[in-house]
Amino acid sequence: MFDGGAELAKLSLQVGTGAALTLSALGAPGAWPFVAKMYVHQYSPDAFWEGAEVWGGVAADVRAARERIGDLVSGVSESGWKSQDGRAFQRRMDAFLDDLLSIEIRASLVAAVLYMSAVAMAAMIMFVWLVAAVLAAIAAWVLLAAVSPLSIASARILALNVLMKMFSGFEAVESGLDTLLHTCAGLLGATVAGDVFVEAVNGDHSAVTDFAQATVSQGPLLIWGTANRVERDLTAHGVDGRFPSGGFRGDRAGSRAGLPLPPGLTQLAGVKGVSDVSGGRQTVTGPHVPEQDPDGSYDYPWD
């Protein structure tokens, strides 16, 4: 559905970086914060869409099975099996059909959440591409204005004002995307946690045990994913050229929040960013993805 998303994101970064370099050379270095943002948005929604299709197929298969079994049970009931055994059979099958309906609803919810995430990510990639195109247009306009000293001076001022307003808008869109994706993650978590909670309330604690074991078995991947995210964010801050100025990271920066990074770090981050994008993975943590066992678990170093 979203073939080419990763390539478009990469192209956006390349165009945005070229525009930022051009504007910096012309004395208007206000586009570099966009480059750091574009570096963060190097992803593809394909996996989310494919996952949604799989879960949608699961929901459809369970629905078909539930309807077939329901027809069979109705046929048995209509045949006149009204004894105690018949009523016990009906109660057991009703409970079984309720379980199938619950599975169908959860699978449909997971599919809907994954579809929503994929569409949101695709929309963000398109938005980033539009921003990159506008940055290229601004760079071309300032370059044309460079023929006259007076024109270039006013062009720089106007370009910087436009870039500041654009960046505020970019952050607002990015914040909306973050809120939506966190909501989707919360829905998925609530779906799993709700199922485990209901089973536990009904006296079946095996779901809690299974959930704990599944979390532990995925531990190496969770640890790697966290380290990969930290590496990406640090690289983005390096490309931006300043210490974080807001949120948790801004608090950690203390009095240095918002100040320029030490000389050389921005250039180093830029080189690393090029390596990350060209290689399709983070330079440090990327090569060390944990290997998955046939049963879906991951081994710890000491296993």
Side-chain angles (χ1 to χ4, degrees):
M1 177 74 180
F2 298 111
D3 292 340
E7 288 75 15
L8 183 59
K10 184 183 294 186
L11 180 60
S12 300
L13 178 60
Q14 293 169 344
V15 172
T17 301
L21 285 169
T22 302
L23 287 169
S24 293
L26 295 172
W32 284 111
F34 290 95
V35 176
K37 295 290 187 181
M38 291 175 181
Y39 168 79
V40 169
H41 293 289
Q42 296 296 303
Y43 43 68
S44 172
D46 291 347
F48 285 85
W49 189 267
E50 292 169 2
E53 290 180 331
V54 171
W55 278 101
V58 170
D61 291 343
V62 172
R63 184 184 309 113
R66 179 174 59 82
E67 291 174 351
R68 288 196 300 269
I69 294 172
D71 291 340
L72 291 174
V73 173
S74 297
V76 171
S77 300
E78 292 172 359
S79 66
W81 190 15
K82 303 298 183 182
S83 65
Q84 183 176 354
D85 290 340
R87 289 191 296 272
F89 171 79
Q90 184 69 49
R91 286 195 299 271
R92 289 179 180 274
M93 292 310 299
D94 286 344
F96 179 64
L97 289 172
D98 288 342
D99 288 341
L100 289 180
L101 178 60
S102 176
I103 293 172
E104 178 189 338
I105 292 173
R106 292 199 300 273
S108 298
L109 176 60
V110 171
V113 169
L114 291 177
Y115 276 129
M116 188 185 308
S117 300
V119 171
M121 294 171 70
M124 189 65 192
I125 289 174
M126 290 298 301
F127 174 73
V128 170
W129 164 244
L130 291 175
V131 170
V134 172
L135 291 179
I138 293 174
W141 173 67
V142 176
L143 183 61
L144 290 175
V147 296
S148 167
L150 185 59
S151 298
I152 187 63
S154 21
R156 286 170 183 162
I157 296 173
L158 183 57
L160 288 173
N161 288 333
V162 171
L163 290 172
M164 285 190 291
K165 292 179 180 179
M166 281 182 57
F167 190 70
S168 297
F170 192 108
E171 288 188 312
V173 172
E174 190 178 50
S175 176
L177 176 69
D178 287 343
T179 300
L180 177 59
L181 293 181
H182 280 98
T183 300
C184 290
L187 287 173
L188 290 177
T191 301
V192 175
D195 185 41
V196 172
F197 177 76
V198 170
E199 294 290 339
V201 169
N202 291 330
D204 183 3
H205 298 283
S206 61
V208 177
T209 303
D210 291 342
F211 180 76
Q213 290 177 344
T215 302
V216 172
S217 69
Q218 300 296 308
L221 184 64
L222 295 173
I223 295 171
W224 175 85
T226 301
N228 192 261
R229 172 67 182 269
V230 170
E231 180 185 351
R232 187 205 70 175
D233 290 350
L234 289 175
T235 305
H237 286 307
V239 172
D240 185 38
R242 294 181 178 276
F243 285 100
S245 58
F248 175 79
R249 296 185 183 88
D251 293 339
R252 302 286 76 75
S255 60
R256 298 173 297 178
L259 296 178
L261 293 173
L265 283 185
T266 299
Q267 291 78 4
L268 180 62
V271 171
K272 180 184 177 300
V274 171
S275 173
D276 294 343
V277 175
S278 61
R281 62 184 184 182
Q282 294 296 319
T283 302
V284 178
T285 58
H288 304 292
V289 183
E291 292 187 8
Q292 190 175 36
D293 295 330
D295 63 355
S297 64
Y298 294 85
D299 291 332
Y300 287 87
W302 53 83
D303 289 338

